[in-house]
Amino acid sequence: MDDATKQCPICHGSNACAVANQQSIDDCWCQQAVFPPKVMVDEKVLSLGSCVCQRCMLALAMEYDISIKRVD
């Protein structure tokens, strides 16, 4: 996998994806996470095909919980 798959499409930091780092999906942090609905993420971000990092996922979940949607 290329370096782009190791980068969070929102913050552009490391997404710490186990699969992108050639490890088992069972070792990935996302296996224990509860994600907010996809509607919280811009379609352009989803189309990039790389994983969101845990920090951004938690921010999206918090935004969902308080009923706000980012517009950036």
Side-chain angles (χ1 to χ4, degrees), residues 5-26:
T5 61
K6 297 178 182 181
Q7 188 178 55
C8 174
I10 296 173
C11 71
H12 305 288
S14 171
N15 60 17
C17 176
V19 176
N21 288 299
Q22 300 173 351
Q23 299 171 355
S24 169
I25 186 67
D26 296 328

Side-chain angles (χ1 to χ4, degrees), residues 3-64:
D3 287 340
T5 61
K6 297 178 182 181
Q7 188 178 55
C8 174
I10 296 173
C11 71
H12 305 288
S14 171
N15 60 17
C17 176
V19 176
N21 288 299
Q22 300 173 351
Q23 299 171 355
S24 169
I25 186 67
D26 296 328
D27 297 327
C28 198
W29 66 266
C30 69
Q31 294 302 297
Q32 306 302 318
V34 177
F35 287 84
K38 282 184 179 180
V39 70
M40 294 301 296
V41 183
D42 187 298
E43 287 294 323
K44 291 182 283 186
V45 169
L46 292 175
S47 70
L48 295 174
S50 61
C51 296
V52 174
C53 71
Q54 190 171 16
R55 186 181 68 183
C56 287
M57 185 276 303
L58 291 171
L60 289 168
M62 184 171 43
E63 291 168 7
Y64 178 73

